[in-house]
Amino acid sequence: KDYTEGAFVRQGQLLFEIDPRPFEAVLNQAKADLAKAEAQRGQTLSQLDQAEAQLAQANSQLLQAQANQQKTQLDVNKFTPLLARHAVTQQDVDNAVQSNEAAKAQVEVARSQIKAAAAAVGTARASIIAADAQVNSSSAIVKTAELNLGFTRIFSPIDGIVGIAAAQ
């Protein structure tokens, strides 16, 4: 208590002060939690960037695999009629067919990689939403702790004579 009962006080004069240390500790913890949440959000943004880069790479690999498969299909189309005229060997045709089958498999692998990369992008976006929510929650806790800390000092709202304190 920073006044004498029955004394004259001015508006803004300190009347009561509660020990602010527990409230300061809560505020410091809330600020630390907010910093942690912001760091986590930064990490999830990096994960999104990485997942999007992997998706772009997978799309590029698909285009490359498709181009390679088209080339091997052209070889099959070219060698098959030549076999009938004995211009190429059966081994040449078999090799072309096997190369084409392997190229088709590479196209499917590339498509699977795109699906996996797209899923990683979706997961990263969901993580960002969760991280944003945590940042917002932590920010609200900081504001509440700051407000509570502000209530540790009670000031006179007006000029006047102080009566008997009803609470200590």
Side-chain angles (χ1 to χ4, degrees):
K1 184 165 89 166
D2 287 5
Y3 70 94
T4 304
E5 291 170 355
F8 183 81
V9 294
R10 296 242 176 244
Q11 181 180 4
Q13 180 178 339
L14 181 65
L15 299 177
F16 293 97
E17 185 170 14
I18 301 168
D19 184 3
R21 292 176 295 181
F23 298 96
E24 289 168 346
V26 169
L27 176 59
N28 290 337
Q29 179 63 51
K31 286 179 177 179
D33 290 345
L34 176 58
K36 182 179 175 184
E38 288 171 340
Q40 181 64 36
R41 184 180 188 283
Q43 185 178 8
T44 57
L45 287 171
S46 294
Q47 290 170 346
L48 175 60
D49 289 343
Q50 184 179 14
E52 286 175 339
Q54 289 172 343
L55 179 57
Q57 183 179 11
N59 279 317
S60 175
Q61 289 171 341
L62 175 61
L63 292 174
Q64 185 177 10
Q66 287 172 329
N68 187 46
Q69 192 275 319
Q70 288 172 354
K71 182 204 171 296
T72 59
Q73 184 64 53
L74 289 174
D75 289 345
V76 169
N77 294 348
K78 177 176 61 177
F79 287 160
T80 302
L82 292 176
L83 178 62
R85 290 187 268 171
H86 303 289
V88 295
T89 65
Q90 181 66 46
Q91 183 66 45
D92 292 332
V93 173
D94 291 346
N95 288 344
V97 169
Q98 288 306 311
S99 292
N100 190 40
E101 291 302 314
K104 287 177 183 177
Q106 285 301 97
V107 167
E108 292 308 310
V109 166
R111 285 190 176 126
S112 295
Q113 289 171 337
I114 287 172
K115 287 180 183 177
V121 167
T123 299
R125 287 188 177 142
S127 294
I128 288 171
I129 291 169
D132 283 343
Q134 186 60 51
V135 166
N136 291 339
S137 173
S138 294
S139 191
I141 292 170
V142 166
K143 288 176 184 172
T144 300
E146 289 171 341
L147 185 64
N148 288 339
L149 180 59
F151 291 142
T152 62
R153 295 172 55 101
I154 308 299
F155 298 93
S156 174
I158 58 169
D159 291 343
I161 296 179
V162 180
I164 298 173
Q168 294 294 324

